[in-house]
Coordinates of all heavy atoms in Angstrom, one line a residue:
K1 N -42.9 -85.7 43.8 CA -43.8 -85.9 42.7 C -45.1 -86.5 43.2 O -46.2 -86.2 42.6 CB -43.2 -86.8 41.7 CG -42.1 -86.1 40.9 CD -41.5 -87.1 39.8 CE -40.4 -86.4 39.0 NZ -39.9 -87.3 38.0
F2 N -45.1 -87.3 44.3 CA -46.3 -87.9 44.8 C -47.2 -86.8 45.4 O -48.4 -86.8 45.1 CB -45.9 -88.9 46.0 CG -47.0 -89.5 46.7 CD1 -47.9 -90.3 46.0 CD2 -47.2 -89.2 48.0 CE1 -49.0 -90.9 46.7 CE2 -48.3 -89.8 48.7 CZ -49.2 -90.7 48.1
V3 N -46.6 -85.9 46.1 CA -47.4 -84.8 46.7 C -48.0 -83.9 45.6 O -49.1 -83.5 45.6 CB -46.5 -83.9 47.6 CG1 -47.2 -82.6 48.0 CG2 -46.2 -84.7 48.9
A4 N -47.1 -83.7 44.5 CA -47.6 -82.8 43.4 C -48.8 -83.4 42.7 O -49.6 -82.6 42.2 CB -46.4 -82.6 42.4
G5 N -48.9 -84.7 42.7 CA -50.1 -85.3 42.1 C -51.3 -85.5 42.9 O -52.3 -86.0 42.4
L6 N -51.3 -85.0 44.2 CA -52.4 -85.1 45.1 C -53.2 -83.9 45.1 O -52.7 -82.8 45.0 CB -52.0 -85.5 46.5 CG -51.2 -86.8 46.7 CD1 -50.7 -86.8 48.1 CD2 -52.0 -88.0 46.4
T7 N -54.5 -84.0 45.3 CA -55.4 -82.8 45.6 C -55.1 -82.4 47.0 O -54.5 -83.2 47.8 CB -56.9 -83.1 45.4 OG1 -57.2 -84.1 46.4 CG2 -57.2 -83.7 44.0
D8 N -55.6 -81.3 47.4 CA -55.4 -80.8 48.8 C -56.0 -81.8 49.8 O -55.5 -82.2 50.9 CB -56.0 -79.4 49.0 CG -55.1 -78.4 48.4 OD1 -53.9 -78.7 48.0 OD2 -55.6 -77.2 48.3
A9 N -57.2 -82.3 49.4 CA -58.0 -83.3 50.3 C -57.2 -84.6 50.4 O -57.1 -85.2 51.5 CB -59.4 -83.5 49.8
E10 N -56.6 -85.0 49.3 CA -55.9 -86.3 49.3 C -54.6 -86.1 50.1 O -54.2 -87.0 50.8 CB -55.5 -86.7 47.9 CG -56.7 -87.2 47.1 CD -56.3 -87.4 45.6 OE1 -55.4 -86.8 45.1 OE2 -57.0 -88.3 45.0
L11 N -53.9 -84.9 50.0 CA -52.8 -84.7 50.8 C -53.1 -84.7 52.3 O -52.3 -85.3 53.1 CB -52.1 -83.4 50.4 CG -50.8 -83.0 51.2 CD1 -49.8 -84.1 51.1 CD2 -50.2 -81.7 50.6
R12 N -54.2 -84.1 52.7 CA -54.6 -84.2 54.1 C -54.9 -85.7 54.5 O -54.5 -86.1 55.6 CB -55.9 -83.4 54.3 CG -55.6 -81.9 54.2 CD -56.8 -81.1 54.8 NE -58.0 -81.1 53.9 CZ -58.2 -80.2 52.9 NH1 -57.3 -79.3 52.6 NH2 -59.3 -80.3 52.1
G13 N -55.5 -86.5 53.6 CA -55.7 -87.9 53.9 C -54.4 -88.6 54.1 O -54.3 -89.5 55.0
V14 N -53.3 -88.3 53.3 CA -52.1 -89.0 53.4 C -51.4 -88.6 54.7 O -50.8 -89.4 55.5 CB -51.1 -88.7 52.2 CG1 -49.7 -89.2 52.5 CG2 -51.7 -89.2 50.9
V15 N -51.4 -87.3 55.1 CA -50.9 -86.8 56.3 C -51.6 -87.5 57.5 O -50.9 -88.0 58.5 CB -51.0 -85.3 56.5 CG1 -50.5 -84.8 57.9 CG2 -50.1 -84.6 55.4
L16 N -52.9 -87.6 57.5 CA -53.6 -88.3 58.5 C -53.2 -89.8 58.6 O -52.9 -90.3 59.7 CB -55.1 -88.2 58.3 CG -55.7 -86.9 58.6 CD1 -57.2 -86.8 58.0 CD2 -55.7 -86.5 60.0
H17 N -53.0 -90.4 57.5 CA -52.6 -91.8 57.4 C -51.3 -92.0 58.1 O -51.1 -92.9 58.9 CB -52.5 -92.2 55.9 CG -52.1 -93.7 55.7 ND1 -53.1 -94.7 55.5 CD2 -50.9 -94.3 55.7 CE1 -52.4 -95.8 55.4 NE2 -51.1 -95.6 55.5
E18 N -50.3 -91.2 57.8 CA -49.0 -91.3 58.4 C -49.0 -91.1 59.9 O -48.3 -91.7 60.7 CB -48.0 -90.4 57.7 CG -47.8 -90.6 56.2 CD -47.5 -92.0 55.8 OE1 -46.8 -92.7 56.6 OE2 -47.9 -92.5 54.8
N19 N -49.8 -90.1 60.3 CA -49.9 -89.8 61.7 C -50.7 -90.8 62.5 O -50.4 -91.0 63.7 CB -50.5 -88.4 61.9 CG -49.4 -87.4 61.8 OD1 -48.6 -87.0 62.7 ND2 -49.2 -86.8 60.5
Y20 N -51.6 -91.6 61.9 CA -52.2 -92.7 62.6 C -51.2 -93.8 62.8 O -51.3 -94.5 63.8 CB -53.5 -93.2 61.9 CG -54.7 -92.4 62.2 CD1 -55.4 -91.7 61.3 CD2 -55.2 -92.3 63.5 CE1 -56.6 -90.9 61.6 CE2 -56.3 -91.6 63.9 CZ -57.0 -90.9 62.9 OH -58.1 -90.2 63.2
H21 N -50.3 -94.0 61.8 CA -49.2 -95.0 62.1 C -48.5 -94.6 63.3 O -48.1 -95.5 64.1 CB -48.3 -95.0 60.9 CG -48.7 -95.8 59.7 ND1 -49.2 -97.1 59.8 CD2 -48.8 -95.5 58.4 CE1 -49.5 -97.6 58.6 NE2 -49.2 -96.6 57.7
K22 N -48.2 -93.3 63.5 CA -47.5 -92.8 64.7 C -48.3 -93.0 65.9 O -47.8 -93.5 66.9 CB -47.1 -91.4 64.5 CG -46.0 -91.1 63.4 CD -46.0 -89.7 62.9 CE -45.7 -88.7 64.0 NZ -45.5 -87.3 63.4
L23 N -49.5 -92.6 65.9 CA -50.4 -92.7 67.1 C -50.5 -94.1 67.6 O -50.4 -94.3 68.8 CB -51.8 -92.1 66.7 CG -52.9 -92.2 67.8 CD1 -52.5 -91.4 69.0 CD2 -54.3 -91.9 67.3
Y24 N -50.7 -95.0 66.7 CA -50.9 -96.4 67.0 C -49.6 -97.2 67.3 O -49.5 -98.3 67.6 CB -51.7 -97.2 66.0 CG -53.1 -96.7 65.8 CD1 -53.7 -96.7 64.6 CD2 -53.8 -96.2 66.9 CE1 -55.0 -96.3 64.4 CE2 -55.1 -95.7 66.8 CZ -55.7 -95.8 65.5 OH -57.0 -95.3 65.3
R25 N -48.4 -96.4 67.1 CA -47.1 -97.0 67.3 C -46.9 -98.3 66.5 O -46.3 -99.3 66.9 CB -46.9 -97.3 68.8 CG -47.0 -96.1 69.7 CD -46.7 -96.4 71.1 NE -47.9 -96.1 71.9 CZ -47.9 -95.5 73.1 NH1 -46.7 -95.2 73.6 NH2 -48.9 -95.2 73.8
H26 N -47.4 -98.2 65.3 CA -47.4 -99.4 64.4 C -46.1 -100.0 64.2 O -45.9 -101.3 64.2 CB -48.1 -99.1 63.1 CG -49.6 -99.2 63.1 ND1 -50.4 -98.8 62.0 CD2 -50.4 -99.7 64.0 CE1 -51.6 -99.0 62.3 NE2 -51.7 -99.6 63.5
L27 N -45.1 -99.2 64.0 CA -43.8 -99.7 63.6 C -43.0 -100.3 64.8 O -41.9 -100.9 64.6 CB -42.9 -98.7 62.9 CG -43.3 -98.6 61.4 CD1 -44.6 -97.8 61.2 CD2 -42.2 -98.0 60.6
R28 N -43.5 -100.1 66.0 CA -43.0 -100.8 67.2 C -43.8 -102.0 67.6 O -43.4 -103.1 67.8 CB -42.9 -99.8 68.4 CG -41.8 -98.8 68.2 CD -40.5 -99.3 68.6 NE -39.4 -98.4 68.4 CZ -38.1 -98.7 68.7 NH1 -37.8 -99.8 69.2 NH2 -37.2 -97.8 68.5
T29 N -45.1 -101.7 67.6 CA -46.1 -102.7 68.1 C -46.1 -104.0 67.2 O -46.1 -105.1 67.7 CB -47.5 -102.2 68.2 OG1 -47.5 -101.0 69.0 CG2 -48.5 -103.2 68.7
W30 N -46.0 -103.8 65.9 CA -46.2 -104.9 65.0 C -44.9 -105.3 64.3 O -44.9 -105.9 63.2 CB -47.3 -104.5 63.9 CG -48.5 -104.2 64.6 CD1 -49.2 -103.0 64.5 CD2 -49.4 -105.0 65.4 NE1 -50.4 -103.0 65.3 CE2 -50.5 -104.2 65.8 CE3 -49.2 -106.3 65.9 CZ2 -51.5 -104.8 66.7 CZ3 -50.2 -106.8 66.7 CH2 -51.3 -106.1 67.1
E31 N -43.7 -105.0 64.9 CA -42.5 -105.3 64.3 C -42.4 -106.9 64.1 O -41.8 -107.3 63.1 CB -41.3 -104.9 65.2 CG -39.9 -105.1 64.6 CD -38.8 -104.6 65.6 OE1 -39.1 -104.0 66.6 OE2 -37.7 -104.9 65.2
H32 N -42.9 -107.6 65.0 CA -42.8 -109.1 64.9 C -43.6 -109.6 63.6 O -43.2 -110.6 63.0 CB -43.3 -109.8 66.1 CG -44.8 -109.6 66.4 ND1 -45.3 -108.4 66.9 CD2 -45.9 -110.5 66.4 CE1 -46.6 -108.5 67.1 NE2 -47.0 -109.7 66.8
L33 N -44.7 -108.9 63.3 CA -45.5 -109.2 62.1 C -44.7 -108.9 60.8 O -44.7 -109.6 59.9 CB -46.8 -108.5 62.1 CG -47.8 -108.9 63.2 CD1 -49.1 -108.1 63.0 CD2 -48.0 -110.4 63.3
W34 N -44.0 -107.7 60.9 CA -43.1 -107.3 59.8 C -42.0 -108.4 59.5 O -41.7 -108.7 58.4 CB -42.5 -106.0 60.1 CG -41.5 -105.6 59.1 CD1 -41.6 -105.3 57.8 CD2 -40.1 -105.4 59.4 NE1 -40.4 -104.9 57.2 CE2 -39.4 -105.0 58.2 CE3 -39.3 -105.5 60.6 CZ2 -38.1 -104.7 58.1 CZ3 -38.0 -105.2 60.5 CH2 -37.3 -104.8 59.3
K35 N -41.5 -108.9 60.6 CA -40.4 -109.9 60.4 C -40.9 -111.2 59.9 O -40.2 -111.9 59.2 CB -39.7 -110.1 61.8 CG -38.9 -108.9 62.3 CD -38.2 -109.2 63.6 CE -37.3 -108.0 64.0 NZ -36.7 -108.2 65.3
E36 N -42.2 -111.5 60.2 CA -42.8 -112.7 59.6 C -43.2 -112.5 58.2 O -42.9 -113.4 57.4 CB -44.1 -113.0 60.4 CG -44.8 -114.3 60.0 CD -46.0 -114.6 60.8 OE1 -46.2 -114.1 61.9 OE2 -46.7 -115.5 60.3
D37 N -43.8 -111.4 57.8 CA -44.2 -111.2 56.4 C -44.4 -109.7 56.2 O -45.4 -109.1 56.7 CB -45.5 -111.9 56.1 CG -45.8 -111.9 54.6 OD1 -45.8 -110.8 54.0 OD2 -45.9 -113.0 54.0
A38 N -43.4 -109.0 55.7 CA -43.5 -107.5 55.6 C -44.7 -107.0 54.8 O -45.3 -106.1 55.2 CB -42.2 -107.0 54.9
A39 N -45.0 -107.6 53.7 CA -46.1 -107.1 52.8 C -47.4 -107.2 53.5 O -48.2 -106.3 53.5 CB -46.1 -107.9 51.5
L40 N -47.7 -108.4 54.2 CA -48.9 -108.6 54.9 C -49.1 -107.6 56.1 O -50.1 -107.1 56.4 CB -49.1 -110.0 55.3 CG -49.2 -111.1 54.2 CD1 -49.6 -112.4 54.9 CD2 -50.1 -110.7 53.1
A41 N -47.9 -107.4 56.8 CA -48.0 -106.4 57.9 C -48.3 -105.0 57.4 O -49.1 -104.3 58.0 CB -46.6 -106.4 58.6
N42 N -47.7 -104.6 56.3 CA -48.0 -103.3 55.8 C -49.4 -103.2 55.4 O -50.1 -102.1 55.7 CB -47.1 -103.1 54.5 CG -45.6 -102.9 54.9 OD1 -45.3 -102.7 56.0 ND2 -44.8 -103.1 53.9
M43 N -50.0 -104.2 54.7 CA -51.3 -104.1 54.3 C -52.3 -104.1 55.5 O -53.3 -103.3 55.5 CB -51.6 -105.3 53.4 CG -50.9 -105.3 52.1 SD -51.1 -106.8 51.1 CE -52.8 -106.8 50.7
A44 N -52.0 -104.9 56.5 CA -52.9 -105.0 57.6 C -53.0 -103.7 58.3 O -54.1 -103.2 58.7 CB -52.4 -106.1 58.6
M45 N -51.9 -103.0 58.6 CA -51.9 -101.7 59.2 C -52.7 -100.7 58.4 O -53.5 -99.9 59.0 CB -50.4 -101.2 59.4 CG -49.6 -102.1 60.3 SD -48.0 -101.3 60.7 CE -47.3 -101.1 59.1
D46 N -52.5 -100.7 57.1 CA -53.2 -99.8 56.3 C -54.7 -100.0 56.3 O -55.5 -99.0 56.3 CB -52.7 -99.8 54.8 CG -51.4 -99.1 54.7 OD1 -50.8 -98.6 55.7 OD2 -50.8 -99.1 53.6
Y47 N -55.2 -101.3 56.2 CA -56.6 -101.5 56.3 C -57.2 -101.0 57.6 O -58.3 -100.4 57.5 CB -56.9 -103.0 56.2 CG -56.9 -103.6 54.8 CD1 -56.0 -104.6 54.4 CD2 -57.9 -103.2 53.9 CE1 -56.1 -105.2 53.2 CE2 -57.9 -103.7 52.6 CZ -57.0 -104.7 52.3 OH -57.1 -105.2 51.0

């Protein structure tokens, strides 16, 4: 449903967003921040 509600340009933006998480190895590099405060870690990566 999330994908269905996106324009093609927005879907490309979301795909890029997820792949930058991969490129920067965010879920490995910043695991210690997630353990300290999950919400703030998520927000910081997205910014």
Side-chain angles (χ1 to χ4, degrees):
K1 290 184 179 179
F2 177 64
V3 170
L6 299 174
T7 66
D8 287 348
E10 287 173 337
L11 182 52
R12 290 192 289 269
V14 172
V15 172
L16 287 168
H17 181 96
E18 302 307 326
N19 277 275
Y20 275 121
H21 279 310
K22 291 162 60 175
L23 175 66
Y24 296 149
R25 302 180 238 223
H26 273 172
L27 278 77
R28 287 280 176 180
T29 303
W30 304 117
E31 183 179 355
H32 65 288
L33 297 183
W34 169 66
K35 290 179 178 179
E36 179 179 348
D37 192 306
L40 296 190
N42 292 342
M43 294 171 68
M45 295 188 306
D46 283 2
Y47 275 121

